[in-house]
Amino acid sequence: MGKEDKNRDKEEIIIETKTKGFGFIKSCIGFLCLGPIGILFGFCGMGKSKTRIYKK
């Protein structure tokens, strides 16, 4: 085994996942435009997630 094979064993794989929650700003703007029903705009985009995979 050469030097390259030993370095290859030490690689790390990192996985990051982020999920969006309730959008407070969206709900405030919705409230100003549409009243109490506009608060529901805070739920738009909720639950979307991003996954990032990279080697270190």
Side-chain angles (χ1 to χ4, degrees), residues 24-36:
F24 182 73
I25 305 274
K26 288 181 188 177
S27 65
C28 288
I29 293 171
F31 180 76
L32 293 174
C33 294
L34 300 173

Side-chain angles (χ1 to χ4, degrees), residues 30-49:
F31 180 76
L32 293 174
C33 294
L34 300 173
I37 294 175
I39 294 174
L40 297 175
F41 281 116
F43 291 110
C44 293
M46 188 173 161
K48 289 183 182 177
S49 62

